[in-house]
Amino acid sequence: MEAGLEIAYGRTSIDFNWIGFDEGDDVSGEGSAELLDDGSIEIEFAYHNGDEAVLKAKREPFSAPC
């Protein structure tokens, strides 16, 4: 897929519309990403008239080797 974005953002969120090509076909959609209070991020991504996906990610704590 190859696409361009048009974005609007705030302190903890971003909204976007996108348009591009996927295997030679015109595609477009919209999405958003939000930083949640628990430190995780939730991303919603949708094709117009098609599939939708939601991804939630949270950083795992780690300790550096001594």
Side-chain angles (χ1 to χ4, degrees):
M1 175 193 278
E2 193 173 317
L5 294 175
E6 178 181 293
I7 62 172
Y9 58 91
R11 182 166 163 75
T12 59
S13 65
I14 185 169
D15 295 310
F16 55 90
N17 293 311
W18 58 272
I19 187 167
F21 301 93
D22 186 11
E23 297 182 5
D25 296 325
D26 291 340
V27 292
S28 62
E30 59 190 22
S32 64
E34 182 178 6
L35 182 61
L36 303 176
D37 291 338
D38 66 359
S40 64
I41 187 168
E42 185 172 281
I43 303 167
E44 297 180 12
F45 185 83
Y47 282 85
H48 286 145
N49 299 318
D51 293 333
E52 297 180 10
V54 176
L55 168 70
K56 187 171 181 181
K58 186 170 184 174
R59 179 181 291 185
E60 291 291 326
F62 71 95
S63 59
C66 296

